[in-house]
Amino acid sequence: VVPQFPAVEIHRDWSPLLDRLKKETGLNFTLVIPASIPEFEEALLAGQPDFAYMNPYHQVMARRAKAYQPLVRGSNLLTGVLMVRKDDPIKSVSELDGKDIAFPAPNAFGASLWLRALLSEQERVRFNPVYVKTHSNVYRYVTSGRAAAGGGINNTLADEPEEVRANLRVLMETPGVPPHPLSAHPRVPAAVRKQVTEVLLRIAAEPDGQALMAKVQMASLKRADYARDYFPLEKFGLDRYVVRASKP
């Protein structure tokens, strides 16, 4: 699971769903939470996980690297949001020129990759990116004044406590795109991929299952389709903003 949140929160939200999935499929699942988004990317692009919950551009990268296939996704579109403190006098993006802007990681899609591209190419803003590992950290960097602005996404911002959200103001928003998919490595047998997909869709159709899916950012679950949902992202030209993990 891509570590958008602290590990304890991811474990809290994903474990009940995986327990339910294990019970209904008879399959065993081990929840793996990398320490950082770059570590997640390294494992993903090496093809290590059988199943992975990844951001939309990770799906593009993982498709190219190891032919990962998206199975399901939520229905609510993902938008990147650039935030400042609610009481900050900044009114336009141009006022961020030369400022520190916090991001979770270089390749976090809506919260970093796409925002950095738009700031650089569309807004012509020069800025100093500060990478702080998680979306939650970004929001707190901004509210504490340690960064002039920060990048997040609508889904993770909505999950923050009211006292955090009340101190933030959205300065800029990206267009919406299909959200994070749960994807499978091609080594996973087709029958297993189909079984997991069907069971997840069935769980999501039940009232208690809807709550489980909402916890893992996949509300109103639907089948994912690479050509329809993620292939269009290949045309955005974001590769030049991707930061490749360096090897020791």
Side-chain angles (χ1 to χ4, degrees):
V1 173
V2 63
Q4 299 170 291
F5 301 102
V8 65
E9 295 180 22
I10 296 174
H11 189 274
R12 176 197 68 199
D13 294 339
W14 276 87
S15 292
L17 177 61
L18 294 183
D19 289 344
R20 177 82 173 269
L21 199 55
K22 176 181 178 179
K23 179 180 179 181
E24 298 202 15
T25 63
L27 300 168
N28 288 317
F29 296 89
T30 301
L31 179 61
V32 178
I33 308 169
S36 67
I37 293 176
E39 287 184 29
F40 168 83
E41 291 165 5
E42 185 176 357
L44 179 67
L45 299 182
Q48 292 177 13
D50 296 314
F51 294 92
Y53 176 75
M54 63 187 75
N55 80 40
Y57 206 74
H58 283 151
Q59 175 61 74
V60 173
M61 297 165 67
R63 174 86 166 203
R64 290 172 177 167
K66 297 294 180 181
Y68 275 88
Q69 174 185 337
L71 303 179
V72 293
R73 66 170 178 85
S75 295
N76 299 327
L77 294 182
L78 178 152
T79 59
V81 288
L82 185 69
M83 296 152 303
V84 295
R85 278 181 57 98
K86 188 173 183 178
D87 59 2
D88 196 296
I90 290 175
K91 299 299 180 185
S92 69
V93 174
S94 63
E95 295 175 72
L96 293 174
D97 198 71
K99 305 286 189 182
D100 288 350
I101 300 180
F103 302 100
N107 303 332
F109 174 63
S112 177
L113 188 63
W114 202 3
L115 278 175
R116 288 188 292 110
L118 291 173
L119 285 169
S120 298
E121 296 188 9
Q122 180 175 294
E123 303 295 335
R124 303 295 181 185
V125 170
R126 296 168 300 168
F127 57 92
N128 177 40
V130 180
Y131 300 113
V132 298
K133 296 188 177 181
T134 70
H135 290 227
S136 297
N137 286 348
V138 168
Y139 303 137
R140 284 151 183 80
Y141 258 67
V142 178
T143 58
S144 66
R146 284 179 284 175
I153 61 173
N154 55 334
N155 293 338
T156 61
L157 180 60
D159 273 358
E160 287 294 322
E162 170 59 26
E163 59 267 26
V164 174
R165 289 185 283 114
N167 286 308
L168 294 169
R169 171 167 52 87
V170 175
L171 188 67
M172 173 184 172
E173 193 168 355
T174 71
V177 298
H180 295 46
L182 178 69
S183 303
H185 191 284
R187 70 171 164 266
V188 177
V192 173
R193 297 198 302 265
K194 181 179 179 181
Q195 181 188 22
V196 169
T197 300
E198 297 298 335
V199 169
L200 284 171
L201 289 169
R202 185 169 70 247
I203 291 172
E206 301 169 358
D208 60 335
Q210 291 170 12
L212 288 176
M213 301 311 300
K215 283 287 188 182
V216 298
Q217 307 289 314
M218 288 195 288
S220 302
L221 197 70
K222 65 188 295 183
R223 295 180 192 274
D225 178 86
Y226 186 83
R228 178 195 66 205
D229 298 333
Y230 304 108
F231 175 74
L233 302 183
E234 295 185 18
K235 303 174 184 177
F236 287 1
L238 295 177
D239 274 359
R240 59 187 176 276
Y241 292 96
V242 169
V243 176
R244 308 291 176 182
S246 58
K247 296 292 183 181

